[in-house]
Amino acid sequence: MVDYAILLIALPLFAAFLIPLVAMVNKNWPKYIPILVTAFNSVLSINLLLYLNAHNGTPFIVKIGGFIPPFGINLFIGYLAIILLMLISFVGLMISLYTINTVKDAESRYYMLFILLLMGVTGLVITGDLFNMFVFLEITSISAYSLTAYKRDGLSLEASMKYILIGSLASVFVLIGIGVIYYSTHTLNIADISNHINTVPKYIKMFSLSMLLIGLAIEAELFPVNGWVPDVYQASPTPVTTIFSSIVVKATIYVFFRVLFTVFRADLTVMNFVMGLGVITLLIGEISALKQVNIKRMLAYSSIGQVGLIVIAISSYSSMGVAGGIYQMINHAIFKGILFLGTAYMITSVSGTGKISDLKGIAQKMPISSFIVSFSIIALLGVPPLTGFWAKMMILSSVMSSGHQIIVALILFATVVEAVYYLKFIAVIYDSSEITNSFKSTIKFNKIVPIVLFALTIILFSVVPQFLVKFQDVLLKAANELTNVSSYISIVLGS
Amino acid sequence: MSWVETVYNYSYFVGAFGLIMIGLYAVMVKTNLIKILIGINLIDVGVNIFLVSLGYIKGKGAPIFSNASVTPANSIDPIPQALVLTAIVIGVAVTALSLSVIIKLYQHYKTLDISKIREMRW
């Protein structure tokens, strides 16, 4: 059996609270613990993938404490969960490698919060219980608040305060929604709620749906409630920003759609509304990114835009569209990993406050990093045959076939806007004039290695066609797990 | 008389809703960070009362089964109370964290007025 899957959550939790003790023994040891934990989780998720392949790809559940659902909490693990788990542990591993010499005066509590953040996100993507999901959401948010304030300067404290205020409101909305659902279905198990949701009176259903929609939209960075995103991304330490952009948003988008699709069995009206939110998020994000001078802020707005694209894709509800959305999640996690880590590596080599103009002509001094950053930008923009192209192709064709031509046009327009500011950025770093900024050479292998490994994954996803065919099959199965409610219920509750 | 009875029967909901509204007012209107935090705490308390009252059934007691006279038929639903315990713990953590951030903000800017703390846009 696969009861050891619970170690995905239990081991990071144990390691996180072990760190203060380890720090008492030796101050240099805590920084290696995140590497060990994420490496262990990577191996475990690959192991689960092999198990899943050996069992025809049917998702399985893990009963915690032996309680049979719907009475206990169960974990639900299928291809989608495993894709997200591998993403979390891989990106987490890269970032913990990068962090070793990066975060200034990194103390043991930084590593503790970092592991707790990863643990919360891991729990979000595999849990099958609505209240458990809320608890993991709160673990993620609280560690995110404190990591945002980690630098303890004015900017980061202010961003953290803003994040705490809006995050507490989000959790209140989510909690009210969950309470109302519990009151009307008398269960918290997602599959069991889904079984009973059609017996709930319509206005109660609409009330709890809108409560959860607002609460989760705040966490998933959707349009009217994403004002905190640029400030938090700009103010937190770069490895933390990378985690937010690559992983935390992806997990909250997954939760958002799990609640919409499975818990509420949302109909076409709701999905069209969410698609509209996605379109506005995409346009606002990309257009605001145009006028930014700070690199992290520009990348933050670009992240918001990409979130919009993923939400459009998944809310199209067709299997191809959802698969494209999941593919874009993977792509975006890797691209933003390179962009945030790569530009931060460049910024640490020059003086300045992180403006784009500080990096003028940096390519003459740092050819490898500049090349990889530009390569990932080109892949992100969707130049064939790189991996970003395939994801955008899937999304556009599915949106087209669902009859929203105007949305296709808007996505293409947003891509053009995206191309404008990213190509401008490439032009700045490849500027051939003499460098005016002071430059100190600091070649650090632990910073280059993660960036290079990220770039290798892009190539792996782009140019190995054999891999692509199998991969598309996996993506379609993952999409099916998200949208097919009746199979979810029969797997959890038994038929 | 009937509307008085209705309000009386749903007094927990009315109270919870009132607390949430007072809290929302404080969060939206006040500019002092401590007052905003108190507003958030009021919202939390309102939501907790709301959840507990969802599980409350008039005239029934706590489901403590070591007492032989208690049967499932005459006890209330205990799960919302378990949820509220968790929610209270989370609320305490968030309050403690935000108070420490507020202390640091005060040391940095010498003010608690969010309209004066403006390195970024609020």
Side-chain angles (χ1 to χ4, degrees):
Chain A
M1 279 308 289
V2 280
D3 284 346
Y4 57 80
I6 187 66
L7 287 179
L8 284 169
I9 301 170
L11 190 97
L13 197 56
F14 177 69
F17 291 111
L18 201 65
I19 282 183
L21 291 178
V22 173
M24 280 160 73
V25 179
N26 188 326
K27 280 214 161 20
N28 282 323
W29 288 355
K31 64 182 173 193
Y32 300 109
I33 290 183
I35 300 177
L36 293 177
V37 169
T38 46
F40 175 81
N41 269 10
S42 311
V43 173
L44 197 55
S45 33
I46 290 170
N47 188 13
L48 290 175
L49 179 66
L50 296 179
Y51 178 88
L52 205 59
N53 275 337
H55 289 74
N56 305 322
T58 322
F60 55 91
I61 62 167
V62 178
K63 308 182 192 82
I64 297 178
F67 288 100
I68 299 163
F71 298 110
I73 293 171
N74 68 282
L75 308 181
F76 182 90
I77 302 177
Y79 276 118
L80 179 56
I82 285 180
I83 288 174
L84 290 169
L85 285 174
M86 289 172 81
L87 206 60
I88 291 167
S89 38
F90 175 68
V91 176
L93 180 60
M94 293 302 118
I95 292 170
S96 27
L97 279 177
Y98 184 89
T99 318
I100 291 180
N101 307 324
T102 306
V103 179
K104 260 181 211 154
D105 317 316
E107 302 151 38
S108 52
R109 52 174 171 250
Y110 172 83
Y111 298 105
M112 190 172 153
L113 290 167
F114 181 80
I115 296 179
L116 277 179
L117 182 65
L118 286 182
M119 187 279 279
V121 176
T122 310
L124 274 182
V125 301
I126 59 180
T127 184
D129 182 281
L130 202 56
F131 192 74
N132 200 230
M133 196 176 258
F134 168 76
V135 173
F136 281 122
L137 201 62
E138 285 306 296
I139 292 175
T140 313
S141 315
I142 294 175
S143 8
Y145 304 152
S146 17
L147 281 173
T148 304
Y150 186 76
K151 283 195 256 175
R152 293 193 206 112
D153 53 5
L155 217 64
S156 60
L157 289 170
E158 203 181 318
S160 174
M161 198 64 228
K162 209 171 176 180
Y163 196 3
I164 290 175
L165 293 181
I166 198 156
S168 330
L169 287 182
S171 75
V172 164
F173 283 123
V174 172
L175 196 55
I176 294 177
I178 291 175
V180 173
I181 291 181
Y182 175 77
Y183 182 62
S184 40
T185 60
H186 297 288
T187 177
L188 286 168
N189 186 290
I190 291 178
D192 207 24
I193 294 173
S194 180
N195 231 350
H196 293 108
I197 195 72
N198 285 333
T199 63
V200 176
K202 199 169 177 226
Y203 61 96
I204 291 185
K205 193 173 151 186
M206 280 320 288
F207 175 74
S208 57
L209 173 64
S210 43
M211 284 291 144
L212 278 164
L213 201 70
I214 298 170
L216 293 172
I218 291 175
E219 302 286 346
E221 306 180 0
L222 281 177
F223 157 63
V225 283
N226 55 10
W228 56 274
V229 179
D231 297 343
V232 169
Y233 278 30
Q234 187 189 346
S236 36
T238 309
V240 177
T241 315
T242 319
I243 287 277
F244 288 165
S245 171
S246 294
I247 293 176
V248 177
V249 192
K250 305 297 177 310
T252 45
I253 292 176
Y254 162 78
V255 169
F256 185 79
F257 282 106
R258 176 61 83 199
V259 167
L260 279 186
F261 285 149
T262 312
V263 175
F264 286 103
R265 302 184 177 224
D267 53 8
L268 212 60
T269 331
V270 178
M271 290 336 288
N272 280 340
F273 173 71
V274 172
M275 192 186 263
L277 286 184
V279 172
I280 303 173
T281 312
L282 174 66
L283 291 175
I284 301 260
E286 301 293 11
I287 291 171
S288 315
L290 261 182
K291 58 172 198 269
Q292 300 304 320
V293 285
N294 185 297
I295 296 173
K296 271 168 105 177
R297 223 174 157 81
M298 180 186 95
L299 293 176
Y301 277 112
S302 157
S303 280
I304 294 177
Q306 293 290 321
V307 166
L309 184 60
I310 294 168
V311 168
I312 294 171
I314 300 184
S315 59
S316 72
Y317 216 175
S318 62
S319 57
M320 194 52 123
V322 179
I326 296 166
Y327 196 2
Q328 184 65 18
M329 279 190 191
I330 302 171
N331 284 340
H332 180 244
I334 294 168
F335 298 149
K336 275 286 143 60
I338 296 182
L339 285 174
F340 274 116
L341 295 184
T343 51
Y345 179 39
M346 293 173 180
I347 289 168
T348 50
S349 312
V350 296
S351 58
T353 52
K355 287 196 184 123
I356 297 175
S357 52
D358 292 340
L359 293 182
K360 204 173 171 195
I362 193 85
Q364 299 162 31
K365 301 280 186 185
M366 305 175 87
I368 301 174
S369 323
S370 309
F371 175 75
I372 292 176
V373 165
S374 322
F375 174 70
S376 82
I377 285 175
I378 286 171
L380 173 72
L381 293 177
V383 174
L386 294 172
T387 168
F389 169 74
W390 301 110
K392 265 190 185 147
M393 190 73 192
M394 282 164 88
I395 294 171
L396 286 176
S397 65
S398 76
V399 175
M400 192 68 163
S401 61
S402 67
H404 299 289
Q405 280 87 352
I406 181 88
I407 294 182
V408 174
L410 288 174
I411 293 175
L412 290 174
F413 170 72
T415 309
V416 172
V417 175
E418 199 178 23
V420 169
Y421 64 82
Y422 272 129
L423 293 179
K424 225 161 63 184
F425 177 69
I426 294 183
V428 169
I429 60 176
Y430 277 96
D431 195 301
S432 58
S433 62
E434 200 59 33
I435 298 177
T436 48
N437 224 327
S438 67
F439 177 86
K440 50 181 190 297
S441 154
T442 48
I443 293 177
K444 288 209 176 106
F445 280 105
N446 71 314
K447 294 190 177 183
I448 293 185
V449 166
I451 303 171
V452 171
L453 282 177
F454 272 134
L456 287 180
T457 19
I458 295 185
I459 296 172
L460 184 71
F461 277 112
S462 306
V463 298
V464 188
Q466 186 75 34
F467 188 65
L468 265 182
V469 173
K470 249 188 165 174
F471 183 63
Q472 198 168 35
D473 195 38
V474 170
L475 280 180
L476 286 172
K477 275 184 183 162
N480 187 44
E481 281 162 22
L482 188 57
T483 51
N484 192 337
V485 181
S486 52
S487 88
Y488 184 92
I489 293 174
S490 69
I491 285 165
V492 175
L493 297 179
S495 49
Chain B
M1 275 308 279
S2 67
W3 68 270
V4 179
E5 237 166 63
T6 318
V7 170
Y8 178 74
N9 286 339
Y10 290 94
S11 52
Y12 296 113
F13 290 119
V14 174
F17 184 73
L19 279 175
I20 293 175
M21 282 302 132
I22 296 170
L24 273 180
Y25 168 79
V27 173
M28 302 286 173
V29 177
K30 298 291 174 187
T31 54
N32 185 305
L33 278 171
I34 299 281
K35 285 181 184 167
I36 292 176
L37 187 62
I38 292 174
I40 285 180
N41 276 330
L42 282 177
I43 299 176
D44 274 348
V45 172
V47 172
N48 290 342
I49 291 176
F50 174 68
L51 286 181
V52 172
S53 57
L54 283 181
Y56 178 69
I57 306 166
K58 212 174 176 183
K60 296 186 180 179
I64 302 167
F65 287 107
S66 56
N67 183 349
S69 67
V70 175
T71 59
N74 64 8
S75 57
I76 55 148
D77 185 355
I79 289 185
Q81 302 179 3
L83 305 189
V84 165
L85 270 182
T86 318
I88 288 174
V89 173
I90 291 172
V92 169
V94 172
T95 308
L97 181 65
S98 39
L99 277 175
S100 61
V101 171
I102 289 174
I103 291 172
K104 287 278 168 195
L105 266 176
Y106 183 75
Q107 286 171 354
H108 200 273
Y109 291 102
K110 303 287 176 236
T111 175
L112 284 174
D113 192 342
I114 53 166
S115 58
K116 286 178 188 149
I117 302 173
R118 265 184 193 276
E119 274 185 45
M120 286 179 287
R121 291 175 297 115
W122 273 85

